[in-house]
Amino acid sequence: MSNEELPRDQERTGEQQVDVPEQQTGRQRLIAGLWPPRVTRAQLIVALLLFVLGLGLAIQVRSNSDNSALRGARQEDLVRILDELDDRTQRLEDEKQRLDGQRTELENSSDQAEEARKQTVEKERQLGVLAGTVAAHGPGITLTINDPGDAVQADMLLDALQELRAAGAEAIEVNGVRVVANTYFSGDGGAIKVDDRPISAPYVFKVIGKPQDLEPALNIPGGVVQTLEKEQATVHVAQADDIVVDALRPAEQPDYARSSSQ
């Protein structure tokens, strides 16, 4: 072999020794294309919009779940709930008409001073019933809650009280304690207090009001009766033409407030 041919052989040999890049498979090319991720501004905006949409859907689903008790109620239960709402609206309308009538009587009375005195006495009697300083009687219901397992909690009794008030209860007594505007329940099952006075089962609510409004309010789907029965308590509601609420509260003299007429 000549000297001139040797460099060519070496050159060819050198070309054969050059490393050829390994050909990538399809899977490797896919991974290389996906990682590291290349996020554009448009993709970030789309991701944010999708997140907001998903959050809204989740809130909607939860809201629908909260109303599942009404959605699953029977037709007659829904009709009864609507009737109760109509009754509450009618009571408010009747109260408005009564007040309008009193105003008209004052404006038209020949002896406005005497008429004002009569209305003042009647108003004092009504406020005395609400404040618990005078006894009251009238149609209503007796709600009796037996709790053999001491599972009834203070908030459940408070829910019953609030439902009765919303249904138009005018005077309430619980186990010999007169209920007033600031009445509260405290303690745990089996050791409940009303206005810091201990009471024990059975819990007896004497309620004056329209029985046809009071009893359905307690029996609405998911209402007071169903909640108490889930705790293995037994509930009995009895209507009566005359309920006596005679537990009294002492009249309290305000420390700072004075009549503006003085």
Side-chain angles (χ1 to χ4, degrees):
M1 181 180 296
S2 64
N3 293 335
E4 294 179 357
E5 293 176 349
L6 182 59
R8 293 193 186 95
D9 293 339
Q10 291 177 348
E11 185 178 355
R12 286 195 296 268
T13 304
E15 291 175 355
Q16 293 175 357
Q17 293 177 349
V18 174
D19 293 335
V20 177
E22 183 181 354
Q23 186 176 5
Q24 293 181 326
T25 65
R27 181 177 180 182
Q28 291 173 332
R29 287 197 301 271
L30 177 61
I31 295 175
L34 295 176
W35 190 264
R38 302 177 185 85
V39 181
T40 65
R41 183 178 180 181
Q43 290 173 329
L44 286 175
I45 294 175
V46 171
L48 180 60
L49 292 176
L50 290 175
F51 172 76
V52 173
L53 177 60
L55 181 61
L57 290 175
I59 294 175
Q60 181 66 30
V61 170
R62 182 174 181 180
S63 176
N64 292 338
S65 298
D66 293 340
N67 295 327
S68 59
L70 290 179
R71 290 213 319 271
R74 299 174 300 175
Q75 181 177 0
E76 53 267 29
D77 292 331
L78 295 175
V79 171
R80 185 171 57 185
I81 294 172
L82 290 175
D83 289 341
E84 181 186 348
L85 293 176
D86 291 339
D87 290 340
R88 293 182 185 180
T89 302
Q90 186 61 46
R91 286 197 302 272
L92 292 175
E93 184 63 28
D94 293 342
E95 178 67 13
K96 176 179 178 298
Q97 292 179 0
R98 185 183 65 81
L99 294 175
D100 289 340
Q102 289 182 353
R103 183 185 64 183
T104 302
E105 289 177 3
L106 283 173
E107 292 174 348
N108 299 332
S109 175
S110 59
D111 187 354
Q112 295 186 1
E114 178 61 20
E115 185 63 30
R117 188 192 67 80
K118 291 180 180 179
Q119 292 192 14
T120 300
V121 172
E122 177 62 19
K123 195 66 175 179
E124 181 181 6
R125 185 192 66 81
Q126 294 175 357
L127 292 176
V129 171
L130 295 176
T133 58
V134 298
H137 71 95
I141 65 170
T142 299
L143 168 65
T144 304
I145 303 171
N146 289 287
D147 182 26
D150 292 338
V152 175
Q153 301 297 318
D155 59 333
M156 299 177 187
L157 297 181
L158 180 61
D159 288 343
L161 174 61
Q162 300 287 42
E163 197 64 51
L164 290 169
R165 282 172 167 169
E170 298 176 353
I172 305 175
E173 174 184 322
V174 182
N175 285 43
V177 180
R178 186 69 170 266
V179 173
V180 293
N182 59 350
T183 290
Y184 64 94
F185 291 88
S186 59
D188 297 322
I192 293 180
K193 297 181 179 180
V194 52
D195 292 339
D196 210 31
R197 292 178 57 179
I199 60 175
S200 57
Y203 307 111
V204 180
F205 288 68
K206 295 182 179 180
V207 188
I208 296 177
K210 187 177 180 181
Q212 294 80 6
D213 293 338
L214 297 173
E215 184 173 1
L218 299 173
N219 287 297
I220 62 174
V224 172
V225 173
Q226 285 190 3
T227 300
L228 291 170
E229 289 178 347
K230 287 180 180 178
E231 301 298 330
Q232 306 305 314
T234 58
V235 183
H236 178 69
V237 181
Q239 297 187 15
D241 294 331
D242 191 54
I243 297 290
V244 177
V245 175
D246 53 6
L248 302 181
R249 294 283 186 126
E252 297 182 0
Q253 180 68 28
D255 295 328
Y256 305 102
R258 295 293 181 269
S259 172
S260 58
S261 62
Q262 293 181 354

